Structures are given as structure tokens and as C-alpha cells.
Amino acid sequence: MSENEKENKNFIWNIIDEDNQSGVYGGKVITRFPPEPNGYLHIGHAKSICLNFGTAEKYGGGCNLRFDDTNPAKENAEYVRAIEEDVKWLGFSWKSLCWASDYFDTMYEAAQELIRKGLAYVDDQSADEIRSGRGTLTKPGTESPFRGRSVEENLRLFEEMKDGKYEDGSKVLRAKIDMASPNINMRDPVLYRISHQTHHNTGDKWCIYPMYDLAHPIEDAIEGVTHSLCTLEFEDHRPLYNWVLENVGFWPNPPKQIEFARLELANTITSKRKLKKLVDDGLVDGWDDPRMPTIAGIRRRGFTPAAIRNFCEMIGVAKANSTVDPGMLEHCVREDLQDHVESRNVVENPVKVIITNYPEDQTELLELENNRNHPEMGTRKVSFSRELYIDGADFMEVPVKKYFRLFPGNEVRLKGAYFITCNEVMHNEDGSVKELLCTYDPATKSGGPEPNRKVKGTIHFVDAKTAVKIPIRNFENLMTADENGEMVFNPDSLQETFGYAEPSVLSAEAGDRFQFFRHGYYMADSKLSKPGAPVFNRIVGLKSSWKPPKK
Ligand code: ATP
Ligand code: MG
């Protein structure tokens, strides 16, 4: 990475370094992660979490988890619990757990202060009238007929709004800034709206709720946040963020808003609203369906916190939006798992192999390594006898070009065992393969003297006598493009199949991960597995579609 790129990656840290030098915040760094509890967090939020908590950690500061609960209609306790769990699971701890709703009194006072300064007014126009009065990028807005109300009248009306005298939508409080501003956000934005809703925290105390643009800077300031990191779509709101803090005037060293690019993954939904629709439509098994790009979903699928944190570090923090290849996240998952999980032999689409020259009632125990890159992870015993299963993908009756696995007349190595040769294919009545009659060469045992010939293919096997059948769930992309290029639900995204496995796999507990040799990484599903009867999710396959750039 060039110095220039490094600098770009850390542009937020550069700003913080400067602030630390000038001493504006007394060398303190306080950040916050402020989700609205209106759904489960997704992989995009992971970027914000890693950035906010990671930045605070780097500077020895703190990061608050703050629920932006200013919109009671869409929020609930299940989402709150899920968000807390996700942040903890990613490996972070918050300095304080905060609620925007705890600050409603201060927000109300701030709004009164703005009114007193002649900087806010009560508007009786309807939402549509306000919208059309706002103008466009090329046309200035028009002033509301209620813009000239006196401070006294505004204070009284605002108080009456709070006291429940008016219906939803009949009045709003607006900032009085500039209806001709080139920045539409500055054309008298709405600060408070009426909503007769019971709030989970404040009950029926309030029937007016602050809008994001008023609430957010105040939340940050109350908590002593120094650097308020948010995504690029808020760049045009920054003048308003600063306007609020400056004009409310309660805080001497107001926080600084800094924008960074959202994380977008190709073919992946990163919007809580759209993810909620998949859940509500029953297309997935809840928010934590292993196909979902939610943190709960990828956790259930078997992704690790370390892999997600590495991924967020790799993508860096940029000022321009870009779309990231999901293969990069999967690469990070593989990189982490390859050093930590043990291998097991499992075959899918099993094909029976009979070793005709192996004694009928003999069984031997072969020693297989648990992780070929980590001898310290030890070995395990795998049984071998006359009848075996191999993977359907490892046999072709009529081999294609360059096929080096088993086919009639060919010899391959069974990993950790012997060379075998396929001599004859037995068929069922319908023509399908019933079993393969093979012979083995006792002189080729793994770990013994080097055989006098080489084979090109190595395949794996399980012993038919002891193999156990396990359910396996493989996944394709949850979303796919339709003929118009729109992202739509992929009905083939879940493929339920089964495999034959070495028997020790049955004792796997929910959350245990393995490499199924030559297939991929799998984890026992946390919801579907029962003691002695695990159900496995494929976390990722072994092959990577994404290659790290050359250094
Ligand atoms: P959604 O549309 O999914 O609800 P949001 O931005 O409205 O997303 P919030 O709950 O408001 O979600 O987000 C909390 C924090 O996470 C915000 O600071 C927001 O900027 C950040 N965030 C949300 N989505 C992304 C993303 N794709 N990449 C980076 N940060 C994100
Ligand atoms: Mg939102």
C-alpha cells in the first residue's frame, strides 16, 4: 500500500490526530454507534461498529452504544436485545448504553431556545404543502405563511403541541434558516412532529418527537462525543448539524461530524427495511436465517467475529462509495477457520465402493491428521473396511478430459489409506450406479514405504460400516438479479442435502465447526441441531472466487 493510500484509509484518524494536537477536546476521543432499533444489524453496520469502537480503542477513549429511539412506531425490544448481542459478539464493549429518548427533555428545551432566538417556528401547513414549498435543486423554496409568527405565539403553540392539543400531522416545528439556501436541508427543516404514540421508554409522556437532524447533534453533544462518524448521505446534513449545536449554544466544544462511505456488498441487501420485508414475507427463517446478511444470520451460518473484523480492516475507510465483492468477506472467513478447525471426512451423493480383495470381517483404524497445516492439532482414528463410500463428485463412469479421480480402470489414492483401482461398475435396474468393485494394493498404505508408482488423484472416503448420515444445508446467494437486473429473492438459495460422515461428527454440538475434507467449512446449526443429531450449515466452500491483491 502506498503512503497516499494509507493516509486515505485513515483520513478520520488524521482528523483526530489534528484535534489531539490542537487540544480542542482535551485529547479525548469519544465516539458512538447509534442504531435505530427498527431491525437487526447487517454487515454494513459491522463496518460502522468496527470503525466507531475501533477508533475509540485506538485512542484509549470510549464508544457509546446509543439507541436512536426517536420513532416509537417502528422500534421494539427484540431489536434492542439483538443489537446488544451483535455488538458484544463482534468483540466490543461500550462505554455507556444510551437512549436518545433519555434526552427528550433537553431536546425540548433546545427547541424552545431556538424559538426564543427567533430561529424556529410552528408551521400549520400539511406535509405535502411543506414538501412542495421546499423547492428543488434549481428552484428556491417559498416561505411558509406561518413563518412570521411571534416568539410568544410559537412558544405557546409548541407547548400546546407537547400538551397534546393537536392531532398528528396538524403542526410541526421548523427551523427558520433560509428557504433559498442551495442546500435543501437548510430550507427550514422540520425539527419536531406530533405523533400520539406510546414510547417504550417514556410511555405517554410525549406526543411530539424530535426529527433526526435536531436529535442527533444534541445526543452527541450530551454524551460528550468528540467525533460523530456517519455515512456519506449525511454530508449534506452537516451544515444543519453544526447549525443546531451553534444556535442551541449549550455546549462549548460541540462534536464534529465526519462522513465515511457506506459498505455495500454486491448482490447483498444492506437495508433493515428491505431485510424486514424478507422476514415478514416468510421467505427466510427469521432475521438469523444463515443466508441473511444480518450479523445474526452470518453468526448462525458460522462466520467468526475475527473474520468480520479483519474484513472491515481490509476494506478500510474511504470517502467514496464503492461496492465490495462478498468473496472478500468469505476469504477472510476461510483465512480464520483454516487455522482453527479440524477436518472430518464427509461424502455427499455417496457412491458405494467394495474392495473385493479386502477381508470381509476385517477393520483397521487409520490415523488421519486433524488439520494438515497444524500438526499440533493432532490426529484421529478413522476406520477402513471392505465397504466404503466415496463422494459422488469423485467418480465418473465416462470420465471427462483431465479427470484424475476414480473411473473404470483408473487408480487413485484414498487419503490416509491405500491406492485403489476401479475394476467394474455395478448398476441398478434403472441404469444408475449401484456400487463400484475395486481392489486395493496393501503395499501402498499411507505413511508406509513410498509406492513404486504415482497416482494423479487423491479422494476421501468413509467406512460404510460406521458412517452416519447427517443433514447438510448448502447456500447460494439469497438474492439474485431478475431479467431487469433487479435484486429478487433466489428460490434456490437453500439446498438441503445429506452426507455420510465419520461417526464422531454426530457428537458435534451446536456451534461446532469443521472442515469437511475437500468440501468446505461447516457449522452445526444453533437452532436445528439436537444432542446427537447435528444439522450442518455450509459456512463457505474451499475455493475462493476472490484473490487478495499482490503486495
Ligand atoms: P438501515 O437503512 O439498514 O436502517 P440505517 O443507516 O438507517 O440503515 P441505522 O440504524 O440508523 O441504520 O444505523 C446505525 C449506524 O450504522 C449509522 O451510523 C449508519 O450510518 C451506520 N450504517 C448503516 N448502514 C451502513 C452501511 N451499509 N455501511 C456503513 N455504515 C452503515
Ligand atoms: Mg435508518
Side-chain angles (χ1 to χ4, degrees):
M1 196 188 313
S2 72
E3 274 309 303
N4 207 356
E5 274 171 287
K6 224 184 247 169
E7 205 154 290
N8 258 338
K9 259 195 146 159
N10 291 331
F11 80 97
I12 292 178
W13 295 348
N14 291 345
I15 296 175
I16 294 177
D17 289 338
E18 281 165 26
D19 288 344
N20 282 346
Q21 250 156 36
S22 77
V24 244
Y25 301 118
K28 267 202 316 226
V29 176
I30 307 291
T31 57
R32 84 291 170 262
F33 172 64
E36 187 181 351
N38 62 349
Y40 280 55
L41 301 179
H42 50 66
I43 183 70
H45 291 107
K47 175 175 176 179
S48 180
I49 293 170
C50 290
L51 177 63
N52 278 295
F53 285 90
T55 298
E57 262 173 28
K58 174 177 155 70
Y59 287 95
C63 178
N64 291 343
L65 172 61
R66 179 204 305 148
F67 289 105
D68 213 338
D69 56 344
T70 53
N71 187 2
K74 293 196 234 145
E75 297 157 5
N76 74 42
E78 178 196 344
Y79 299 145
V80 167
R81 187 200 51 76
I83 290 170
E84 289 180 28
E85 185 181 354
D86 290 348
V87 173
K88 282 193 232 162
W89 179 73
L90 282 173
F92 296 110
S93 21
W94 45 85
K95 176 173 156 281
S96 311
L97 183 69
C98 306
W99 302 86
S101 55
D102 283 342
Y103 317 137
F104 281 164
D105 285 307
T106 310
M107 291 175 192
Y108 182 75
E109 286 161 26
Q112 284 178 315
E113 178 71 7
L114 292 173
I115 295 174
R116 275 193 294 271
K117 289 181 171 162
L119 294 172
Y121 61 97
V122 174
D123 194 342
D124 298 2
Q125 292 184 106
S126 70
D128 280 341
E129 285 166 331
I130 291 177
R131 204 172 305 124
S132 63
R134 193 156 276 162
T136 65
L137 283 174
T138 50
K139 205 175 98 223
T142 44
E143 294 189 354
S144 161
F146 302 95
R147 202 174 197 258
R149 279 177 164 155
S150 69
V151 168
E152 289 65 38
E153 188 182 7
N154 280 320
L155 281 173
R156 177 177 57 79
L157 291 173
F158 186 50
E159 187 168 356
E160 288 175 358
M161 278 168 65
K162 181 193 68 148
D163 291 340
K165 262 186 101 171
Y166 304 111
E167 276 173 35
D168 291 7
S170 61
K171 283 182 170 44
V172 292
L173 183 75
R174 292 179 77 176
K176 193 181 201 173
I177 308 179
D178 177 5
M179 288 309 288
S181 170
N183 181 344
I184 296 185
N185 294 300
M186 300 300 274
R187 295 182 189 168
D188 292 11
V190 174
L191 301 178
Y192 258 97
R193 70 203 161 92
I194 302 173
S195 178
H196 289 266
Q197 291 263 3
T198 302
H199 190 281
H200 72 95
N201 182 16
T202 55
D204 290 321
K205 176 172 176 195
W206 298 93
C207 63
I208 56 171
Y209 292 95
M211 304 300 285
Y212 177 92
D213 285 318
L214 176 73
H216 209 85
I218 294 177
E219 294 159 13
D220 286 344
I222 291 175
E223 290 172 17
V225 166
T226 54
H227 299 86
S228 178
L229 313 179
C230 66
T231 38
L232 272 183
E233 67 272 24
F234 292 101
E235 193 169 14
D236 291 344
H237 294 244
R238 188 181 348 126
L240 184 50
Y241 181 97
N242 292 336
W243 182 93
V244 168
L245 291 174
E246 205 169 295
N247 289 298
V248 169
F250 297 172
W251 301 277
N253 287 316
K256 185 176 275 186
Q257 173 177 311
I258 308 171
E259 307 85 16
F260 63 94
R262 285 178 88 83
L263 167 62
E264 302 289 354
L265 286 182
N267 297 320
T268 307
I269 301 179
T270 43
S271 148
K272 289 193 223 106
R273 186 177 51 80
K274 290 185 189 156
L275 291 169
K276 180 167 190 297
K277 184 148 194 318
L278 291 172
V279 175
D280 291 346
D281 290 351
L283 293 171
V284 292
D285 172 28
W287 286 94
D288 66 349
D289 186 298
R291 292 166 291 176
M292 290 278 271
T294 50
I295 296 180
I298 58 191
R299 170 170 63 235
R300 183 169 160 201
R301 176 133 167 194
F303 286 25
T304 59
I308 296 170
R309 288 198 310 266
N310 282 344
F311 169 70
C312 290
E313 200 165 300
M314 256 165 98
I315 53 178
V317 185
K319 265 190 267 199
N321 282 320
S322 66
T323 301
V324 176
D325 180 353
M328 193 169 158
L329 175 56
E330 295 189 351
H331 165 85
C332 293
V333 173
R334 261 181 231 108
E335 288 270 293
D336 184 28
L337 295 183
Q338 68 186 9
D339 292 328
H340 298 113
V341 306
E342 294 187 1
S343 182
R344 295 289 182 269
N345 279 358
V346 177
V347 302
E348 282 181 35
N349 304 309
V351 175
K352 187 167 242 186
V353 164
I354 301 186
I355 314 282
T356 53
N357 60 340
Y358 196 87
E360 278 217 34
D361 41 10
Q362 183 172 319
T363 291
E364 57 190 299
L365 289 178
L366 303 170
E367 195 143 335
L368 264 58
E369 52 200 349
N370 285 328
N371 184 318
R372 86 169 132 199
N373 300 325
H374 292 275
E376 78 281 5
M377 288 173 76
T379 58
R380 66 190 190 283
K381 295 271 197 304
V382 168
S383 69
F384 181 91
S385 62
R386 183 181 160 92
E387 298 195 6
L388 311 169
Y389 288 111
I390 62 167
D391 202 277
D394 288 339
F395 173 74
M396 284 187 101
E397 189 158 12
V398 182
V400 294
K401 250 184 147 177
K402 296 217 169 160
Y403 189 79
F404 300 124
R405 289 171 263 171
L406 200 59
F407 55 85
N410 192 39
E411 187 174 47
V412 296
R413 170 175 287 290
L414 290 181
K415 172 86 177 159
Y418 300 95
F419 286 8
I420 61 164
T421 304
C422 176
N423 304 305
E424 196 177 348
V425 183
M426 309 300 286
H427 294 96
N428 293 307
E429 268 172 28
D430 65 0
S432 58
V433 173
K434 181 169 175 244
E435 56 200 22
L436 309 178
L437 304 184
C438 301
T439 44
Y440 87 117
D441 178 354
T444 57
K445 187 167 181 176
S446 276
E450 194 67 22
N452 57 5
R453 60 193 186 277
K454 292 225 179 305
V455 288
K456 283 196 167 158
T458 297
I459 66 174
H460 67 288
F461 68 94
V462 292
D463 181 359
K465 237 190 269 177
T466 55
V468 293
K469 193 172 172 180
I470 51 165
I472 292 179
R473 305 183 338 137
N474 293 324
F475 308 107
E476 296 293 330
N477 266 350
L478 177 60
M479 305 305 287
T480 182
D482 69 4
E483 60 273 17
N484 304 318
E486 295 280 319
M487 265 207 271
V488 290
F489 174 73
N490 175 8
D492 299 322
S493 49
L494 169 63
Q495 291 155 9
E496 292 180 283
T497 174
F498 69 88
Y500 283 139
E502 16 177 315
S504 68
V505 167
L506 277 195
S507 58
E509 290 177 19
D512 284 354
R513 296 179 180 88
F514 299 100
Q515 184 194 118
F516 288 171
F517 190 65
R518 298 175 60 229
H519 275 280
Y521 293 101
Y522 292 78
M523 187 172 91
D525 188 273
S526 55
K527 278 192 174 161
L528 304 173
S529 299
K530 305 240 153 50
V535 174
F536 285 92
N537 294 328
R538 181 163 67 191
I539 308 169
V540 283
L542 290 181
K543 285 207 198 76
S544 179
S545 58
W546 184 86
K547 295 262 171 298
K550 295 215 167 61
K551 292 207 177 106

